[in-house]
Amino acid sequence: MNFLIARVTDPVEHLSRVGVDPASIPIFKNKGEFVSLLIYDVPAISANVIKQEMLAAGGDAAVHKHSITLKVQSTHVLTMGTLAQHKKLVEKLSLMHYWNLDEIARDIKNCLFETKVRAIELPSGRRLEFEKPLIMGIVNVTPDSFYAASRVEKDKLIDLAARMVKEGVDIIDIGGESTRPGSERVSEDEELNRVVPAVETVRKNFDVFISVDTYKAKVAEEALKNGAEIVNDVSALRFDPEMINVLKTYKPAVVLMHMKGEPKTMQENPYYEDVVKEVLYFFKERIEKLREIGLEDKIIIDPGIGFGKRLVDNLEIIKRISEFKSLGKPVLVGASRKSFIGQVLGNVPPEERLYGTLAVTAYCVLNGVDIVRVHDVKENLHVVKLIRAIQPQSR
């Protein structure tokens, strides 16, 4: 008898090749899709219960070596098992109203089994949909953004926007203040004078989603009045207390970005014990803040590549970018031509960082990122299209 064995990375993908009944595919998916969850800072006594319940379900969980003797107060827990085994874990923990176990069950259920945000309703009535990775094109109406080719004078704005639209951009992100490391703040009036006419021009001439890159409430409000539908706030609503009121009034989509410090000082010796953990905790607090005012369904998260991060931090965030999907929100990555790419490639300038940018885009799309914010629309879109052709379910 002639037969062949091949090791596969995604068993669910091969069910149709086996010829199973289509009605059984969801059942096999639960049994065949292996997942691991990293649960941070669990009380040791709770961690021991989680491990025992995962073992009982046929999976396993890794805990600190001293958890069983309670020589440590808390531990991270790494679960390992199928979706079906995690479902059993949730069912058991949900009945345990002590040691935070029912709360952990709720969060596991939200992470694995609740519907993720697939669209955001915008002020115009249109929907920002995430059925495919979106390309956000960068337009800087500034004289000092780090990549000179991204800066545009008023008389060249239509040409740049037209080129981006022709190349397939989904969102045009307009910014009037550079947030590169060491940059100085721009006055509100100056930023308004730069941004509002640019938003008006793009809205009047193109049918494209417009994002305004600002942390100032007044600038966001005027941009929203004139056609913007997304607010991209590098401070995650921390720099201007009035920004929340603007969001409550106009209800745009809002990008919450993580940054340590502010642009002028953010690269002065930033340090993290575990950058992904700390950024996840940051977003957990920010999401709760918007949940309190009824805007949780408007959130997009951006881990802030290059904003108060060392080279090792930027690489770690990208390596573990799929972990941010556990928050249930669309994820945006803005890595285009940034300095960490230059460092990896031998300290090359921004003008020589395109291919490095495309490598980051490819990795991010393969790991479920919903929006890539880029300077070069056509090239990045080509990467996205090829990956989706090879792996249609890569998201």
Side-chain angles (χ1 to χ4, degrees), residues 165-364:
V165 170
K166 182 178 180 181
E167 291 176 350
V169 76
D170 297 292
I171 305 163
I172 290 181
D173 189 43
I174 300 173
E177 175 178 310
S178 173
T179 50
R180 76 188 193 288
S183 60
E184 297 286 347
R185 292 195 177 194
V186 171
S187 72
E188 182 180 276
D189 286 344
E190 178 63 24
E191 191 174 346
L192 284 167
N193 289 336
R194 294 175 179 179
V195 167
V196 176
V199 170
E200 288 179 317
T201 297
V202 174
R203 173 51 62 234
K204 184 188 300 183
N205 291 278
F206 305 101
D207 182 22
V208 65
F209 295 115
I210 300 174
S211 168
V212 57
D213 180 2
T214 186
Y215 56 81
K216 297 185 179 75
K218 184 63 175 177
V219 176
E221 182 173 29
E222 292 303 315
L224 291 167
K225 286 180 180 178
N226 287 278
E229 296 183 277
I230 305 165
V231 174
N232 182 8
D233 186 343
V234 298
S235 79
L237 318 183
R238 294 175 299 142
F239 288 178
D240 188 337
E242 290 301 313
M243 183 66 88
I244 286 181
N245 291 327
V246 171
L247 299 181
K248 287 169 68 176
T249 299
Y250 294 91
K251 297 180 172 53
V254 56
V255 180
L256 303 178
M257 195 195 77
H258 175 272
M259 171 170 49
K260 180 168 280 193
E262 59 178 285
K264 186 175 181 179
T265 61
M266 64 187 177
Q267 291 307 115
E268 295 177 2
N269 301 313
Y271 178 76
Y272 303 84
E273 290 289 342
D274 180 338
V275 65
V276 172
K277 172 186 172 182
E278 292 175 46
V279 176
L280 283 169
Y281 267 121
F282 171 84
F283 283 130
K284 183 177 180 181
E285 182 275 330
R286 292 283 86 190
I287 290 170
E288 183 58 36
K289 182 78 172 177
L290 267 71
R291 180 182 292 120
E292 292 172 359
I293 59 174
L295 294 176
E296 182 190 3
D297 60 348
K298 304 294 185 180
I299 298 172
I300 299 164
I301 61 171
D302 174 359
I305 299 296
F307 284 80
K309 315 288 193 307
R310 302 163 297 177
L311 172 61
V312 65
D313 302 320
N314 291 317
L315 294 175
E316 184 74 2
I317 287 171
I318 292 169
K319 175 184 175 182
R320 297 168 59 187
I321 194 66
S322 62
E323 294 180 32
F324 292 93
K325 298 291 289 183
S326 64
L327 295 168
K329 306 300 177 190
V331 176
L332 180 152
V333 169
S336 183
R337 296 184 181 266
K338 287 189 173 177
S339 60
F340 84 97
I341 295 174
Q343 289 176 269
V344 171
L345 299 181
N347 296 316
V348 299
E351 291 73 20
E352 297 178 28
R353 299 173 188 166
L354 173 59
Y355 299 141
T357 297
L358 298 180
V360 174
T361 293
Y363 185 88
C364 287

Side-chain angles (χ1 to χ4, degrees), residues 83-95:
L83 281 174
Q85 289 161 349
H86 280 85
K87 187 174 182 180
K88 289 180 181 178
L89 175 67
V90 168
E91 291 170 351
K92 292 295 289 291
L93 297 185
S94 296
L95 302 176

